[in-house]
Amino acid sequence: HAHVAQRVMRFQGESLPVSAVHPLAVLPEFRGRGFGKRLLDKIDESLTAESSALGVLTTRSPHFFRSHG
């Protein structure tokens, strides 16, 4: 499961399109089988399609995201 929320943020007077991922989750029985990576690929496609200048998320598993770029 992944939910991507499109937002507009202001930085020093500039409005920028931003995508926030809340949350990304894979059931334990499906972990380690590439589902998380596929979700990240789809999220990346969404950020590109929406012309997001930035993608943000919070996580308790930074190692997962770090290993997938």
Side-chain angles (χ1 to χ4, degrees), residues 7 10 12-13 30-31 33 35-37 40-45 48 51 54 58-59 61 63-64:
R7 303 279 190 251
R10 295 188 52 82
Q12 297 183 348
F30 294 103
R31 292 180 188 156
R33 295 171 46 190
F35 290 104
K37 171 69 171 120
L40 283 177
D41 290 343
K42 290 297 180 183
I43 290 168
D44 190 46
E45 288 175 20
T48 300
S51 300
L54 179 68
T58 57
T59 184
S61 303
H63 59 279
F64 173 78

Side-chain angles (χ1 to χ4, degrees), residues 24 26 32 34-40 59 61-69:
L24 184 145
V26 176
F35 290 104
K37 171 69 171 120
R38 284 185 248 170
L39 281 170
L40 283 177
T59 184
S61 303
H63 59 279
F64 173 78
F65 295 95
R66 190 177 305 116
S67 67
H68 291 94

Side-chain angles (χ1 to χ4, degrees), residues 8-16:
V8 174
M9 296 182 80
R10 295 188 52 82
F11 295 95
Q12 297 183 348
E14 296 292 324
S15 295
L16 298 173

